[in-house]
Amino acid sequence: MTKKKLLCQIAPYVLVAAAAVVSLPIEAFAYIGPGAGFALIGSSFVFVGTAILGVLTILLWPFIALYRLVRGYGVPRNARARRVVIVGLDGLEPKITEQMMDSGELPNLAALRASGDYTRLGTTLPALSPVAWSSFQTGVNPGAHNIFDFLTRDKRRYLPVMASTEQRKVSAKGLMKLVGLSRDREEVHITRRSKPFWKILGERGITSNIVRVPISYPPEPFYGNILSAMCTPDLKGTQGSFSFFSTDTKAADGTGGQFRPFSRSGATLIAEIDGPPSADGGNLKARVELHVKEHSAQLKIGESTCTLNVNQYSDWQTLEFKVGKAVIRGIVRFCLRSIEPAVTLYVTPVNVHPEFPALPIAAPLSFAKYLVKMQGLFGTLGLMEDTWGRNEHAINDDLFLAQSYLAHEEREKMFFDSLKNTSAGVVACVFDASDRIQHMFWRYQDKDHPAEKESNPNSYSTIHEMYKKMDGLVGRIKKQLKPSDILIVMSDHGFASFRRCIGINAWLHQNGYLVLKEGTKPGTDYLRDVDWSKTKAFALGLSGLYINLKGREVNGIVSKDEMPALKAEIARKLSELRDPKDNAPTINKVHDTAVAYRGLYASEAPDLIVGYLPGYRVSWDSVTGTVENEIFSDNLKAWSGDHHVDPELIPGVLFCSRKLTQKAANIVDIAPSVLSVFKQPIPKYMEGKVIF
Amino acid sequence: MFGSGKNKITLESEVYEIVKQASELSGCSSVEEFASQILMRESQAIVSNQSAVKTESSDVAKITEKLRGLGYLE
């Protein structure tokens, strides 16, 4: 055996050993904020431990190999494929896909349809990415995996909170506390329950490389590699906070607190970028200096410099935030937006540095470091495309598009590297650009959309071009595959226009189900002026309504006996809601989750879920509990396409390189089908059927 | 990283068997997941009935900050 071959065989075990050190314990968690977590993860202890375990693993390798052979680990000989390659194109809409395939504009997808199979893929209730991709992973309905929306509610406060993670206080104890190696702290845990199919495969020695599949933060260690995706925070702990600096104090006074003035030192402009939360309740800062020239600017960060050209993104730049002796590193891209009349600078959210991760963005952590070695720095934020920055005009459409494709290119490199390194097992990667670009550019292909359109004529074909780009990606993937592989190309939901906003809380208020405190008027956010002693129902999140149930919500008034009739009444009335603008119906169906969901977590779900008709969505303000004056309003934001319509109206796509055994496919079918390909028993709790 | 707060509780064999059966019937991926969720749900109901929490403006500010950038929100 050659040295190279031997190293190749040993490498996975060394990686597994490294994973064992950096990812102990098995429960997935993340530190939030600076402190012991940052210090410990970055300490030399981890590396010394890794080295020792690495040596031990090499010595034990023959015994491990023998054990696995005896136990029948790995892809069995009678498996129907050596590899299952899953390419997720988030939000790819079947109607557009089918039309473009038929007109010859998507030759690779059309060929895949012809040589393999294609069908529309049923999605979850509601048709939201965190919900649908959770069902993809686990093969169960939301009632059994516990993700019903991006948001859920704090039952003791009637406030929205992130649905996919929760914070827990953990007290240090035992020997580790005594010797000072452990202290009380807060951890973040993933709240998606049940078990991803790659974890089940891993228990049977079949490895997977899972790249940016939504709802994987914090990542759960398993026999394989995983890089976190949607809902991975930035270093501030938010879902993505951009910064915008300006010499014009008016421009620097924009919304959201992210617009800041530069400070000056002579001719030098100074920007202080917010980083991780600090002990005093503020944020640690990183200082950068800008020296403006005639057509560009020189940016100085510490000792390094780079040139910024107007309306071009810089490469990723490292920022350092000092806390005591520890240094927390993050990465950002800069974009000089203008020099005249004012100097303005856009800075992306501060992503967790993938080479020195302050938060566990991968399992094992060394997977992120490995990817940096292979392809250079890459963005780690869950939602990489700055839709908020575009909505607030910190960037324009062209810059949003450029940013989306920069993230997409990074994703492609990760995917192809994983594909190359996986000789047997699963490779799964979700590409988000298809979703984000449709969200932000839908107004260009909907002539009736009320939102403002920019003057660039290319914007009208952006979505069309994006579909072609995704088709090209599929073509390049197909070239890398062997006959023994199965290729799946899929989306989690389709897309529709979002022209009109519906204030669900305003509707509940006007229909007497939600009552405001005496003397208050509509308009306050976070349900703060609601009189809970008289309120029967409220809305939080993107599609859910909750009954103010006694014994469940802290100030609940509706009894369990009253609840079914109340739900039926609200569902019936809401289903009849018409748009006063043209008397058009707005809602396809209001779903009772007691009927729609099954499983241990069904009682955690909203009580009713609204399935809108295309063109409509919950209003921006109602999502976070604002009781607005008016029920209906125009959607004037660049975010002009969406997919909160009734799931039966917005399926995704499913392509398979082999014939499907059934055409009626649903996203819950993927997990059991993958297990079946590898001849693994399908757990009884999985609801999906085998379709390939 | 160490001592991540996992504690064990002991169940009588008969109780464990019923819990296991219920776990399978309810579609849970493991007995541990089932037991944790049931205990958490029941305990939270008791705790929350005892302790209504007043919403402070600092809570709202924190939540607003955390949700920033989600895209689907204002």
Side-chain angles (χ1 to χ4, degrees):
Chain A
M1 188 181 289
T2 63
K3 258 185 186 176
K4 198 178 166 190
K5 221 171 177 181
L6 181 68
L7 276 173
C8 284
Q9 291 207 355
I10 288 169
Y13 296 98
V14 176
L15 282 174
V16 169
V21 171
V22 296
S23 59
L24 276 173
I26 297 304
E27 183 77 10
F29 65 85
Y31 290 99
I32 45 169
F38 288 111
L40 192 57
I41 281 179
S43 74
S44 56
F45 175 81
V46 169
F47 297 102
V48 173
T50 305
I52 293 168
L53 264 184
V55 171
L56 275 176
T57 308
I58 292 167
L59 294 174
L60 289 172
W61 167 67
F63 303 101
I64 294 169
L66 184 66
Y67 175 77
R68 290 188 184 284
L69 191 71
V70 171
R71 289 288 305 267
Y73 269 35
V75 174
R77 286 188 181 169
N78 63 344
R80 285 187 282 119
R82 293 291 295 164
R83 296 190 298 184
V84 175
V85 179
I86 302 173
V87 179
L89 300 175
D90 199 302
L92 215 69
E93 161 60 33
K95 283 180 206 153
I96 299 176
T97 308
E98 289 160 16
Q99 194 181 12
M100 289 182 72
M101 280 195 296
D102 294 344
S103 62
E105 292 173 284
L106 305 178
N108 295 299
L109 285 169
L112 186 56
R113 175 176 64 172
S115 63
D117 219 332
Y118 164 77
T119 190
R120 293 185 178 192
L121 185 65
T123 185
T124 47
L125 171 74
L128 286 172
S129 292
V131 188
W133 288 114
S134 294
S135 286
F136 158 80
Q137 297 178 27
T138 57
V140 297
N141 83 96
H145 66 53
N146 194 38
I147 302 294
F148 306 99
D149 196 320
F150 275 103
L151 305 179
T152 183
R153 85 291 192 203
D154 178 339
K155 291 173 201 161
R156 294 199 295 167
R157 291 186 169 96
Y158 296 98
L159 285 177
V161 288
M162 286 295 290
S164 64
T165 55
E166 65 184 359
Q167 286 173 229
R168 288 187 205 158
K169 280 188 181 163
V170 177
S171 306
K173 59 184 178 183
L175 185 63
M176 288 298 180
K177 185 180 183 182
L178 280 176
V179 297
L181 276 175
S182 182
R183 63 183 74 174
D184 295 352
R185 63 197 178 277
E186 279 200 330
E187 292 175 352
V188 176
H189 291 250
I190 192 163
T191 53
R192 197 263 305 117
R193 302 291 186 244
S194 197
K195 200 184 269 190
F197 65 81
W198 50 79
K199 206 166 178 178
I200 297 170
L201 290 174
E203 286 163 4
R204 295 153 195 180
I206 300 170
T207 191
S208 302
N209 278 298
I210 307 299
V211 180
R212 300 278 301 188
V213 174
I215 309 305
S216 51
Y217 177 81
E220 300 161 292
F222 73 107
Y223 184 59
N225 301 304
I226 185 165
L227 186 68
S228 288
M230 183 175 275
C231 299
T232 304
D234 61 16
L235 268 191
K236 284 180 74 178
T238 77
Q239 290 301 302
S241 295
F242 69 90
S243 307
F244 190 87
F245 296 90
S246 177
T247 50
D248 175 0
T249 47
K250 272 189 184 170
D253 199 25
T255 61
Q258 305 303 308
F259 291 78
R260 308 267 172 81
F262 283 110
S263 55
R264 283 181 185 271
S265 173
T268 304
L269 297 174
I270 297 162
E272 290 207 314
I273 299 164
D274 282 351
S278 57
D280 63 5
N283 290 88
L284 301 173
K285 310 272 184 197
R287 174 189 159 115
V288 301
E289 294 178 6
L290 199 66
H291 302 271
V292 180
K293 297 174 179 174
E294 198 177 349
H295 299 294
S296 63
Q298 198 73 16
L299 184 78
K300 189 163 181 271
I301 310 166
E303 295 306 311
S304 66
T305 57
C306 75
T307 300
L308 299 180
N309 295 312
V310 176
N311 286 334
Q312 283 182 17
Y313 286 106
S314 71
D315 291 334
W316 288 111
Q317 304 292 325
T318 299
L319 299 180
E320 294 190 344
F321 301 91
K322 291 184 176 142
V323 50
K325 286 181 183 173
V327 175
I328 300 159
R329 292 181 180 87
I331 55 169
V332 292
R333 286 188 197 271
F334 293 91
C335 182
L336 183 64
R337 293 287 283 116
S338 63
I339 292 176
E340 290 289 344
V343 179
T344 55
L345 178 70
Y346 164 82
V347 188
T348 63
V350 185
N351 286 228
V352 173
H353 197 299
E355 194 174 8
F356 308 101
L359 300 170
I361 53 168
L365 259 186
S366 53
F367 184 48
K369 293 167 190 264
Y370 161 80
L371 288 171
V372 175
K373 299 289 178 211
M374 297 307 293
Q375 68 179 76
L377 293 174
F378 57 85
T380 56
L381 184 65
L383 296 152
M384 282 293 300
E385 303 81 5
D386 192 359
T387 53
W388 183 35
R390 171 59 195 85
N391 272 347
E392 298 296 336
H393 301 281
I395 51 176
N396 58 19
D397 282 345
D398 290 346
L399 286 170
F400 176 82
L401 191 64
Q403 190 181 62
S404 302
Y405 282 138
L406 281 170
H408 180 80
E409 283 162 22
E410 290 174 357
R411 198 75 46 86
E412 282 199 9
K413 285 180 191 164
M414 292 170 195
F415 170 77
F416 281 110
D417 184 77
S418 293
L419 191 59
K420 192 178 76 185
N421 290 330
T422 309
S423 57
V426 173
V427 183
C429 179
V430 174
F431 295 87
D432 301 316
S434 40
D435 177 83
R436 309 302 185 272
I437 289 171
Q438 290 185 98
H439 273 303
M440 303 305 277
F441 283 83
W442 200 274
R443 66 198 195 277
Y444 290 101
Q445 63 173 43
D446 177 359
K447 61 179 173 44
D448 296 327
H449 202 286
E452 183 194 353
K453 298 171 177 81
E454 289 181 1
S455 56
N456 185 350
N458 294 333
S459 296
Y460 289 85
S461 58
T462 298
I463 289 181
H464 210 72
E465 293 303 317
M466 179 274 291
Y467 274 74
K468 289 185 191 171
K469 202 175 173 79
M470 297 305 148
D471 181 75
L473 168 64
V474 172
R476 280 177 285 128
I477 293 169
K478 281 164 73 179
K479 284 183 185 159
Q480 305 289 320
L481 299 183
K482 298 170 186 160
S484 58
D485 297 331
I486 289 179
L487 172 64
I488 299 294
V489 179
M490 59 176 286
S491 63
D492 53 335
H493 52 68
F495 244 87
S497 190
F498 167 29
R499 293 182 206 124
R500 297 275 283 165
C501 310
I502 302 182
I504 296 292
N505 279 313
W507 182 87
L508 289 168
H509 178 227
Q510 291 181 20
N511 284 273
Y513 299 111
L514 185 151
V515 178
L516 294 177
K517 288 175 195 161
E518 223 171 288
T520 62
K521 288 180 181 171
T524 310
D525 56 7
Y526 294 104
L527 299 165
R528 276 184 287 181
D529 286 339
V530 171
D531 182 344
W532 295 109
S533 68
K534 296 175 184 165
T535 289
K536 291 181 178 175
F538 60 99
L540 273 177
L542 290 152
S543 53
L545 272 83
Y546 298 89
I547 301 297
N548 193 21
L549 183 65
K550 207 184 286 177
R552 185 184 67 182
E553 314 300 323
V554 69
N555 294 315
I557 61 163
V558 178
S559 71
K560 274 189 177 170
D561 293 343
E562 295 169 300
M563 188 156 152
L566 178 63
K567 279 200 291 186
E569 182 184 306
I570 292 175
R572 181 180 50 77
K573 282 191 185 172
L574 200 50
S575 303
E576 291 164 1
L577 182 65
R578 285 181 175 263
D579 189 341
K581 200 173 183 180
D582 52 8
N583 201 35
T586 60
I587 289 165
N588 189 51
K589 190 177 176 184
V590 179
H591 299 262
D592 182 345
T593 56
V595 177
Y597 294 151
R598 301 161 305 284
L600 191 58
Y601 306 96
S603 59
E604 300 295 315
D607 297 301
L608 295 169
I609 289 184
V610 184
Y612 297 92
L613 283 166
Y616 296 91
R617 201 202 83 172
V618 63
S619 70
W620 292 95
D621 286 338
S622 198
V623 176
T624 47
T626 299
V627 183
E628 297 151 296
N629 270 307
E630 302 293 331
I631 297 172
F632 285 92
S633 58
D634 278 338
N635 173 30
L636 301 175
K637 292 198 180 287
W639 182 287
S640 47
D642 220 312
H643 40 82
H644 297 169
V645 303
D646 201 74
E648 70 182 49
L649 305 176
I650 202 133
V653 299
L654 175 67
F655 293 86
C656 181
S657 59
R658 307 256 176 103
K659 287 287 173 207
L660 296 170
T661 55
Q662 296 186 46
K663 283 281 190 182
N666 189 282
I667 199 159
V668 291
D669 300 334
I670 306 294
S673 300
V674 174
L675 294 179
S676 161
V677 167
F678 293 113
K679 300 288 179 190
Q680 300 302 315
I682 297 163
K684 279 183 194 162
Y685 65 82
M686 278 195 179
E687 298 157 22
K689 56 194 179 293
V690 174
I691 55 167
F692 57 82
Chain B
M1 186 168 278
F2 296 96
S4 79
K6 285 231 168 189
N7 294 295
K8 287 179 182 173
I9 49 175
T10 311
L11 299 178
E12 297 290 337
S13 299
E14 296 82 6
V15 178
Y16 179 81
E17 283 307 316
I18 292 171
V19 172
K20 191 179 167 197
Q21 204 182 343
S23 156
E24 283 165 5
L25 287 171
S26 63
C28 260
S29 67
S30 69
V31 179
E32 193 180 37
E33 182 193 338
F34 176 81
S36 295
Q37 172 60 15
I38 294 290
L39 285 172
M40 177 66 94
R41 184 193 294 167
E42 295 305 315
S43 308
Q44 270 181 345
I46 295 165
V47 171
S48 69
N49 279 342
Q50 298 298 314
S51 55
V53 179
K54 193 170 178 259
T55 302
E56 307 289 345
S57 9
S58 58
D59 296 330
V60 170
K62 270 185 203 165
I63 288 163
T64 308
E65 187 68 11
K66 281 204 162 185
L67 300 180
R68 278 203 195 293
L70 198 51
Y72 292 83
L73 314 183
E74 179 83 74

